[in-house]
């Protein structure tokens, strides 16, 4: 982009008053993204002409103003979540006021893709800077990567969650899946996470949003207590022997009551080999599509 194009883009953002209206989160997210990657990042060289550096300063100021609107919005919504204003359909409807939730997008994805819904959910339920990993993972344990928020919304829509059931996220990372499932369904949720720093962070997020029905347990999933679990979610947290040990523990639970295992990502293929599980929607072979297994 040349100086004229950058200048006219910045002016158009500054003059576009709709971007400064709280409800236009989607448009604001696109503008912030553009300013960050196509203007500020491109103008890092301090030897650029003075005019360009002035434009960069202006872009940074506008970006900060737009981000401040989002911060205020999240603060207000967090307070409303704290007092129980949004659960279930009310929570989804509230999100839909700010971000377009078109769940059809998840059907054809070939990888874990993120979008504005993730940006919104990050701002809403993650409350402080992300902690570093403190424990070394064993070779069969998989590093943290979050499930796209859109996939969690799809799961909440497709699976009949009953209020007497308990949802487990195995390898719950920073807690987003568990917190979202609770907010979208009202069901009791538990996250099991090997990394203590992630587990503490997730617990802090739940406490700050005043969600006592959301619990995070810091343990290896092989040794967790699943005696209350009815629905178990896995976004490929581990593989090989560890996966087999966890599946044996879940099979034992399935002898006492029917359970569901929902998978996302490459672990679907390993779970699909279990003869004690029936599955739906395995035919199209897309691992980045939710697969639901039910115990026989
Ligand atoms: C791919 S991430 C999924 C995170 C989260 N479930 C989500 O979807 O956003 C896998 C997580 O599993 C955790 N993990 C790996 N092995 C584990 C084990 N044996 N027990 C519990 N957690 C484990 C990792 O620390 C990591 O946070």
């Amino acid at each position: 982009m040349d100086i004229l194009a950058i200048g006219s883009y910045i002016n158009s953002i500054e003059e576009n008053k709709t971007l400064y209206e709280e409800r236009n989160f989607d448009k604001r997210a696109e503008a912030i993204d553009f300013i960050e990657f196509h203007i500020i990042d491109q103008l890092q060289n301090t030897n650029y002409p003075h005019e360009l550096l002035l434009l960069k300063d202006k872009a940074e100021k506008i970006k900060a103003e737009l981000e401040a609107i989002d911060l205020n919005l999240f603060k207000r919504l967090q307070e409303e979540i704290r007092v129980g204003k949004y659960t279930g359909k009310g929570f989804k409807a509230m999100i839909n006021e700010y971000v377009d939730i078109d769940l059809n997008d998840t059907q054809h994805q070939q990888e874990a893709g993120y979008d504005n819904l993730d940006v919104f959910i990050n701002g809403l339920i993650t409350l402080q800077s992300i902690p570093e990993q403190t424990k070394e993972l064993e070779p069969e344990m998989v590093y943290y990567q979050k499930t796209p928020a859109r996939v969690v919304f799809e799961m909440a829509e497709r699976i009949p969650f009953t209020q007497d059931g308990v949802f487990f996220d195995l390898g719950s990372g920073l807690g987003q899946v568990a917190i979202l499932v609770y907010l979208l369904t009202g069901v009791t949720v538990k996250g099991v996470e090997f990394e203590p720093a992630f587990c503490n962070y997730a617990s802090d997020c739940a406490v700050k949003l005043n969600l006592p029905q959301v619990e995070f347990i810091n343990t290896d999933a092989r040794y967790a207590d699943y005696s209350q679990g009815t629905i178990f979610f896995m976004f490929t947290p581990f593989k090989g022997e560890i996966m087999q040990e966890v599946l044996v523990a879940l099979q034992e639970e399935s002898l006492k009551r029917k359970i569901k295992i929902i998978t996302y990502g490459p672990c679907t293929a390993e779970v699909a080999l279990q003869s004690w599980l029936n599955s739906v929607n395995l035919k199209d072979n897309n691992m980045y599509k939710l697969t639901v297994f039910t115990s026989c």
Side-chain angles (χ1 to χ4, degrees):
M1 269 174 116
D2 60 23
I3 293 189
L4 273 181
I6 293 175
S8 92
Y9 181 75
I10 291 176
N11 286 340
S12 73
I13 290 192
E14 202 175 24
E15 285 159 18
N16 185 350
K17 295 297 165 219
T18 63
L19 287 176
Y20 295 80
E21 290 170 22
E22 220 180 34
R23 68 194 162 93
N24 289 325
F25 176 85
D26 258 338
K27 285 187 193 156
R28 200 160 44 248
E30 273 153 37
I32 290 172
D33 203 62
F34 193 93
I35 292 175
E36 187 166 340
F37 295 108
H38 295 277
I39 300 182
I40 299 175
D41 276 6
Q42 306 300 319
L43 298 180
Q44 288 307 322
N45 187 340
T46 46
N47 295 326
Y48 277 142
H50 186 61
E51 242 181 317
L52 264 182
L53 296 179
L54 283 179
L55 279 179
K56 179 175 161 243
D57 289 349
K58 193 169 175 186
E60 278 170 345
K61 183 174 158 278
I62 292 173
K63 179 172 168 260
E65 285 168 4
L66 295 175
E67 285 172 341
I69 297 168
D70 290 341
L71 273 182
N72 277 336
L73 169 64
F74 293 138
K75 259 194 193 155
R76 176 171 64 74
L77 295 175
Q78 283 161 2
E79 199 41 51
E80 290 175 350
I81 291 173
R82 281 185 59 74
V83 297
K85 183 166 173 192
Y86 305 114
T87 40
K89 288 198 164 56
F91 178 73
K92 192 173 165 195
M94 176 275 281
I95 303 285
N96 222 1
E97 281 178 35
Y98 302 99
V99 195
D100 176 27
I101 312 178
D102 175 9
L103 295 179
N104 292 329
D105 282 4
T106 50
Q107 298 296 319
H108 309 290
Q109 280 176 3
Q110 296 299 323
E111 58 183 33
Y114 305 97
D115 57 27
N116 279 354
L117 183 58
D118 293 284
V119 181
F120 191 89
I121 295 298
N122 285 348
L124 187 62
I125 68 179
T126 60
L127 298 171
Q128 67 236 38
S129 57
I130 291 174
E132 297 280 332
Q133 185 106 25
T134 61
K135 267 171 83 174
E136 202 166 317
L137 295 182
E138 292 176 25
E140 291 182 332
M141 297 181 175
V142 176
Y143 276 95
Y144 176 69
Q145 187 189 354
K146 80 168 58 166
T147 303
R150 204 163 282 281
V151 171
V152 186
F153 275 67
E154 187 196 342
M155 173 161 61
E157 195 153 289
R158 270 182 54 195
I159 307 298
F161 285 91
T162 54
Q163 296 308 310
D164 55 343
V166 177
F167 172 93
F168 272 79
D169 181 14
L170 304 190
S172 48
L174 299 176
Q176 182 204 290
V177 172
I179 290 175
L180 265 184
V181 166
Y182 170 71
L183 288 170
L184 287 163
T185 67
V187 75
T188 298
V189 300
K190 293 181 193 291
V192 174
E193 173 54 48
F194 177 79
E195 167 54 53
F198 292 175
C199 196
N200 288 340
Y201 174 92
S203 297
D204 285 351
C205 291
V207 167
K208 284 183 182 156
L209 289 172
N210 189 25
L211 307 177
Q213 303 85 339
V214 180
E215 184 190 358
F216 292 97
I217 303 151
N218 179 214
T219 186
D220 186 319
R222 283 173 286 189
Y223 315 123
D225 173 6
Y226 297 122
S227 58
Q228 295 177 316
T230 51
I231 301 182
F232 299 88
F233 174 71
M234 292 194 257
F235 173 21
T236 314
F238 29 73
K239 45 196 176 183
E241 286 294 313
I242 299 183
M243 175 61 93
Q244 292 314 315
E245 278 189 50
V246 172
L247 287 170
V248 167
L250 296 184
Q251 185 179 13
E252 276 168 22
E253 293 304 324
S254 79
L255 301 175
K256 302 172 205 155
R257 64 195 172 282
K258 269 209 179 269
I259 64 167
K260 280 189 171 54
I261 299 179
I262 304 171
T263 58
Y264 180 70
C267 70
T268 299
E270 271 181 281
V271 177
L273 296 175
Q274 302 294 307
S275 58
W276 57 280
L277 290 171
N278 290 322
S279 69
V280 284
N281 73 20
L282 263 187
K283 284 188 208 101
D284 62 1
N285 232 355
N286 180 355
M287 67 172 101
Y288 287 102
K289 193 168 168 180
L290 288 170
T291 302
V292 183
F293 297 89
T294 311
S295 61
C296 300

